[in-house]
Amino acid sequence: LQELCVFEGIKAMLDALTDQQFNLAVLSSNAQANIRTVLQKNQIGTITTIFPASSLFGKNAVIRKFLKTSKLHPSQVIYVGD
C-alpha cells in the first residue's frame, strides 16, 4: 500500500473540484483502512466520505444507499470508475 501513488494531476484535479464546491466521496470494494492509507500517503484531504462495498458486484446497492443517505438524485452525481 505504501507504494501506491495516484496518477500525476489527480490531486490537483480533486483540489480544483473541491474549490468549485463539489463534494467528493470514494466508493470502493477495497477496505476503508486501505483507502484512507492511500489518500493520506498522497496528501489527499478533499475526500472525507468513504463508502465500502462488500464486493465488486455489490456497488449498485452501495450507490443506491449513498444516494438515499445523501438525499441526492442520480442526476446530481458523477460516478467515475477505475
Side-chain angles (χ1 to χ4, degrees), residues 27-31 51-63 79:
L27 186 151
S28 177
S29 55
N30 208 321
F51 281 83
S54 58
S55 73
L56 185 61
F57 302 107
K59 286 188 179 178
N60 285 340
V62 176
I63 291 170
Y79 176 81

Side-chain angles (χ1 to χ4, degrees), residues 65-73 76:
K65 181 179 177 182
F66 169 77
L67 293 172
K68 184 176 180 176
T69 59
S70 301
K71 298 179 181 168
L72 293 169
H73 186 270
Q76 297 173 287

Side-chain angles (χ1 to χ4, degrees), residues 2-76:
Q2 292 301 324
E3 295 143 14
L4 290 178
C5 296
V6 296
F7 291 111
E8 186 175 329
I10 294 293
K11 183 179 181 327
M13 178 197 59
L14 296 173
D15 290 341
L17 288 169
T18 300
D19 290 346
Q20 294 176 39
Q21 306 304 308
F22 284 90
N23 295 317
L24 307 177
V26 170
L27 186 151
S28 177
S29 55
N30 208 321
Q32 196 170 127
N34 293 344
I35 297 165
R36 289 196 189 284
T37 297
V38 171
L39 293 175
Q40 289 172 351
K41 180 194 176 290
N42 290 278
Q43 300 174 352
I44 297 173
T46 53
I47 297 173
T48 57
T49 305
I50 298 172
F51 281 83
S54 58
S55 73
L56 185 61
F57 302 107
K59 286 188 179 178
N60 285 340
V62 176
I63 291 170
R64 284 193 299 276
K65 181 179 177 182
F66 169 77
L67 293 172
K68 184 176 180 176
T69 59
S70 301
K71 298 179 181 168
L72 293 169
H73 186 270
S75 65
Q76 297 173 287

